[in-house]
Amino acid sequence: MKVVVFCKSVPDTETRVKLKDNRLDKSEIKYILNPYDEFAVEEAVRMKEAGKVDEVVAISMGPERAREALRSALAIGADRGILIKDDVLDGSDTYVTAKVLVKALEKDGAEYGMLLFGQQAIDGDTWHVPGQVAEMLGLPQAGSIIKLEVDPDAGKAVANRLVEGGEEVHEMSLPCVVTCRKGLNEPRYPSLPNIMKAKRKPIQDYSIADLDLSPEEVGKAGSFTEVLSYSLPPKKEAGRKVEGEPEEVVQALVKFLKEEIKVI
Amino acid sequence: MIKGVDFMIMEEFLAEEEKIIRDTTRKFVEKEVLPIIGDHYDKGTFPTELIPKIAQLGLLGITTPPEYGGAGASYFSYGLACQELEWCDSGLRSLVSVQNSLCMYPIYTYGSEEQKEKYLPKMCTGETIGCFGLTEPDAGSDPASMRTTAKKVDGGWVLNGNKIWITNAPIAQIAVVWAKTEEGVRGFIVERDTPGFETPEIKKKMSLRFSPTGEIVLEDCFVPDENLLPGSTVGMKAPFSCLNRARYGIAWGAVGAAAFCFEKALNYTKDRVQFGKPLASFQLVQRDLADMFTEVTKCQLLVYRLGRLFDEGRASHVMVSMAKKTCTMTAAQVARKARELLGGNGVSLEYHVIRHLCNMETTTTYEGTDKIHSLIIGRYLTGINAFR
């Protein structure tokens, strides 16, 4: 059974976001594999190590730097990569992204048993793409899972989702879509020997033409949504410290809650 | 090139695997070591349970070929790993440097096939930790004046002498020991359980407190013939070739320590408010920050270029001397400045910079003092040997 993990190249978590000409200023940004995708790659590689999966394919749509995210997935243990890269993809929204990914899946051959995603990407943070891909393919899906059991012979998977006050258990037929979050596993540190081996693992490049898509179907032209403007969140103001005897502090705090921010 | 400090945008000159090696090493030390290091430094202890984790990452045997269990990575990657390890702590980097450059390198380069197969795979997995015995109580900068002897006897050699300031000695299973034979200096692999081999720990050091340091005492220590490093020519060439690699790693490491201290000082002075405004808004502080930033950037450029030359086989030992000398001295100055900018907090282990500052007092001295490296550069420039 083949499983496919979807990988996104995103700004490092420590990035200080800056804007320039109403777009993100990307000049000083360093990119990493989306941390949520790491859970997905780790889970897929563990399934392979447990003998339940034959091949783990990592796939990414993005500019050239997305190759690094794929290489990270290969270093964790994915077998090969697919990079969909085309200048006309710039400005694609999540719908186009899902559409292109589905095309690439078809191109690679449809005999996959499971599609694994990170539940969200830490940059756009839309949570859209996994659900869209599942819908387009008509596959069952379980989002934000913390436990996964796969039985390829029986053709089913059982996934646990964390919900308020408990867990939901989903049984799905294969193929299915899952999105991964913290708690599912503890992603390994890729070892130096595996990082070196990943260098020699193949990454297949696809352009839009390779996927039988036209420029009008992708990018801004093919998107339903458009980003109108960017703005930074308001600057955090310095905190205020209330000092004094306990009675005074409590009085001051109650006064603040009642009169200034009026929450009680 | 190092997270947070890359003013000259050197990131774009790194290969994919180099970035992953750097980022993985950083993530590892940030999560697994940084949270525990203050306590260990305070007590002067080293958590040996860390060794299997370091080994699993492939940090023991970075440049060792895969057929002996290593990663087969470049010296540039080795440099990046050293940088990230020392971003955390010089002692941690020292452990890895000694294993890679001072023990595995001589066994790989000067060892017999039997020695390579016997030792290298276990050194990669951390089952065998090595140490390197060159320095003696009366032979520091002038190692050729060593007093440790190796006397040929039937079937082997008998070693006698004392080695001092030996990183990893108390925890090592083997030692690569350099001793004088009748023909001159040769290298030997001495195993832990050899009668007459002792490694008393050196206590009371106020630097590299995370790194176990010891003596090596050799008393009529019999080493079989097969433990002589057969490829090492008589004389100081072989041990110096090891030191050259270790010094190379020290230069990279110092850049990591300097970058840590700079970033700490930058963030601290931006947050800390005095006289109604952040410390970073004062001109005197800004000059310090600008100087630190500039010096770290200069050292980055130096080790970057050196690393590429090293892998091309074009790095001379003089270049390595310059990098080792400059980067460690710079890191010491940057750490001192950071200590000052952090005020009272600067002396607390919780803020880490005092630890780096104390560590730098060793890195500017070990593996060739600042002055010795000046003389190496001086000899290159003038053609005049000022050593004797």
Side-chain angles (χ1 to χ4, degrees):
Chain A
M1 181 171 87
K2 172 175 104 180
V3 296
V4 182
V5 189
F6 295 76
C7 298
K8 188 175 182 188
S9 164
V10 296
D12 195 343
T13 46
E14 285 167 32
T15 305
R16 257 172 253 152
V17 177
K18 286 189 275 186
L19 299 181
K20 197 180 171 186
D21 305 329
N22 201 27
R23 285 203 76 155
L24 280 180
D25 177 4
K26 295 180 179 171
S27 60
E28 287 180 16
I29 294 181
K30 288 189 171 52
Y31 291 89
I32 56 169
L33 171 63
N34 178 34
Y36 288 98
D37 299 345
E38 278 186 32
F39 298 115
V41 179
E42 177 68 33
E43 196 64 18
V45 172
R46 285 187 191 190
M47 286 195 279
K48 189 183 171 187
E49 286 166 350
K52 292 177 175 175
V53 163
D54 306 310
E55 189 184 35
V56 178
V57 182
I59 183 167
S60 187
M61 176 184 125
E64 179 58 27
R65 61 174 159 76
R67 197 182 301 278
E68 287 171 21
L70 285 176
R71 203 65 76 182
S72 297
L74 298 176
I76 295 171
D79 297 295
R80 62 184 174 91
I82 297 172
L83 176 62
I84 312 149
K85 190 184 69 140
D86 206 310
D87 290 345
V88 297
L89 287 168
D90 190 35
S92 297
D93 68 0
T94 57
Y95 168 76
V96 169
T97 305
K99 188 167 72 178
V100 172
L101 291 172
V102 165
K103 279 279 189 185
L105 276 180
E106 286 166 2
K107 177 92 181 169
D108 193 58
E111 73 288 7
Y112 48 82
M114 188 180 286
L115 308 179
L116 296 101
F117 292 80
Q119 67 174 13
Q120 77 210 81
I122 60 163
D123 53 354
D125 219 14
T126 66
W127 304 51
H128 286 175
V129 175
Q132 290 177 336
V133 168
E135 280 302 310
M136 287 175 190
L137 293 168
L139 298 178
Q141 54 172 313
S144 308
I145 61 166
I146 53 160
K147 195 179 163 198
L148 181 64
E149 292 289 339
V150 185
D151 187 344
D153 298 327
K156 66 180 176 97
V158 178
N160 295 34
R161 307 180 60 218
L162 210 54
V163 292
E164 209 171 323
E167 280 180 29
E168 253 177 30
V169 184
H170 292 247
E171 189 180 300
M172 297 173 287
S173 58
L174 299 181
C176 68
V177 173
V178 295
T179 78
C180 306
R181 55 163 287 167
K182 196 177 161 92
L184 177 63
N185 55 45
E186 191 64 48
R188 72 196 67 187
Y189 302 105
S191 72
L192 266 65
N194 286 340
I195 295 169
M196 296 307 289
K197 276 179 209 147
K199 245 179 106 168
R200 291 185 293 275
K201 291 180 180 175
I203 295 178
Q204 168 79 51
D205 283 26
Y206 288 134
S207 66
I208 288 309
D210 292 332
L211 301 181
D212 300 322
L213 285 162
S214 67
E216 296 76 42
E217 294 174 276
V218 299
K220 269 186 191 165
S223 295
F224 291 135
T225 57
E226 188 186 348
V227 177
L228 296 179
S229 70
Y230 288 91
S231 62
L232 293 172
K235 230 181 171 181
K236 254 194 221 159
E237 283 179 33
R240 199 190 315 166
K241 203 170 177 182
V242 187
E243 280 171 302
E245 293 300 314
E247 295 79 18
E248 299 166 18
V249 173
V250 169
Q251 276 180 5
L253 187 61
V254 170
K255 194 175 169 208
F256 170 77
L257 293 172
K258 271 188 168 165
E259 293 172 18
E260 279 191 52
I261 59 169
K262 299 184 173 101
V263 292
I264 54 172
Chain B
M1 193 164 62
I2 185 163
K3 254 177 160 177
V5 187
D6 183 17
F7 191 54
M8 289 294 154
I9 321 171
M10 290 190 287
E11 183 79 3
E12 61 195 42
F13 291 110
L14 299 191
E16 284 163 6
E17 80 275 9
E18 290 167 350
K19 290 182 196 174
I20 303 174
I21 288 172
R22 177 198 59 192
D23 293 349
T24 303
T25 312
R26 166 68 68 94
K27 211 191 259 183
F28 171 76
V29 296
E30 209 167 11
K31 278 198 188 152
E32 311 284 337
V33 192
L34 206 57
I36 60 165
I37 196 147
D39 282 344
H40 282 289
Y41 205 87
D42 196 20
K43 296 184 194 120
T45 51
F46 174 76
T48 45
E49 62 270 21
L50 206 57
I51 290 174
K53 291 185 186 177
I54 295 171
Q56 207 164 30
L57 217 61
L59 290 170
L60 309 178
I62 297 174
T63 59
T64 308
E67 59 262 38
Y68 298 108
S74 65
Y75 270 91
F76 194 94
S77 294
Y78 170 66
L80 287 169
C82 285
Q83 170 188 280
E84 296 307 322
L85 289 164
E86 192 153 345
W87 177 87
C88 179
D89 188 75
S90 307
L92 181 65
R93 197 266 309 138
S94 295
L95 173 100
V96 171
S97 281
V98 168
Q99 182 84 342
N100 277 279
S101 294
L102 296 182
C103 296
M104 301 179 76
Y105 170 76
I107 292 172
Y108 178 69
T109 308
Y110 305 116
S112 65
E113 191 53 43
E114 292 73 28
Q115 289 170 343
K116 290 186 215 182
E117 282 169 18
K118 181 176 178 190
Y119 295 109
L120 293 179
K122 283 189 177 167
M123 296 184 85
C124 288
T125 61
E127 283 169 79
T128 301
I129 292 293
C131 63
F132 177 88
L134 181 67
T135 299
E136 297 183 0
D138 295 313
S141 293
D142 181 14
S145 68
M146 69 172 64
R147 292 179 185 173
T148 298
T149 56
K151 203 178 150 205
K152 186 76 192 88
V153 293
D154 194 25
W157 302 79
V158 172
L159 273 57
N160 274 292
N162 286 303
K163 300 289 181 182
I164 199 164
W165 296 119
I166 310 302
T167 300
N168 295 356
I171 59 166
Q173 283 76 37
I174 61 165
V176 173
V177 170
W178 303 90
K180 259 187 187 155
T181 67
E182 275 182 10
E183 288 86 39
V185 171
R186 299 297 302 266
F188 300 87
I189 303 169
V190 187
E191 297 192 7
R192 159 70 65 192
D193 54 9
T194 311
F197 176 84
E198 297 288 340
T199 56
E201 186 166 0
I202 297 174
K203 296 279 190 188
K204 296 182 184 171
K205 65 188 162 79
M206 297 308 290
S207 176
L208 293 189
R209 289 177 59 77
F210 193 65
S211 168
T213 314
E215 298 174 43
I216 297 176
V217 182
L218 303 152
E219 276 179 9
D220 291 330
C221 197
F222 175 80
V223 174
D225 278 330
E226 62 262 27
N227 282 26
L228 170 79
L229 288 173
S232 66
T233 50
V234 173
M236 298 306 293
K237 199 175 162 222
F240 279 156
S241 74
C242 303
L243 290 179
N244 200 44
R245 276 157 181 80
R247 289 166 177 172
Y248 167 83
I250 293 168
W252 274 95
V255 175
F260 181 99
C261 293
F262 162 71
E263 279 194 272
K264 198 79 179 171
L266 176 65
N267 292 331
Y268 187 87
T269 53
K270 279 160 83 177
D271 288 344
R272 168 98 171 159
V273 173
Q274 288 293 287
F275 304 104
K277 54 183 186 173
L279 288 183
S281 61
F282 291 92
Q283 291 185 357
L284 290 172
V285 172
Q286 288 197 3
R287 191 188 64 175
D288 281 348
L289 293 172
D291 287 348
M292 293 159 87
F293 186 47
T294 306
E295 293 307 313
V296 174
T297 300
K298 279 153 73 177
C299 288
Q300 279 183 333
L301 293 169
L302 193 58
V303 292
Y304 177 90
R305 179 66 185 146
L306 181 68
R308 292 296 182 222
L309 289 172
F310 212 103
D311 282 322
E312 291 165 16
R314 296 198 288 148
S316 72
H317 72 282
V318 185
M319 292 177 187
V320 173
S321 282
M322 183 185 279
K324 192 272 180 184
K325 170 188 158 72
T326 307
C327 294
T328 55
M329 291 303 269
T330 298
Q333 286 157 9
V334 169
R336 171 164 298 282
K337 212 37 127 180
R339 209 299 298 151
E340 187 195 329
L341 290 173
L342 264 71
N345 288 328
V347 303
S348 164
L349 281 174
E350 284 182 27
Y351 289 80
H352 303 295
V353 291
I354 188 70
R355 179 167 52 77
H356 280 301
L357 178 55
C358 289
N359 285 342
M360 288 309 117
E361 293 300 327
T362 294
T363 61
T364 53
T365 299
Y366 74 177
E367 308 249 352
T369 64
D370 173 57
K371 288 186 170 61
I372 286 292
H373 288 298
S374 295
L375 295 186
I376 291 171
I377 299 168
R379 182 174 59 188
Y380 162 78
L381 284 174
T382 63
I384 303 165
N385 185 351
F387 290 97
R388 52 180 68 87

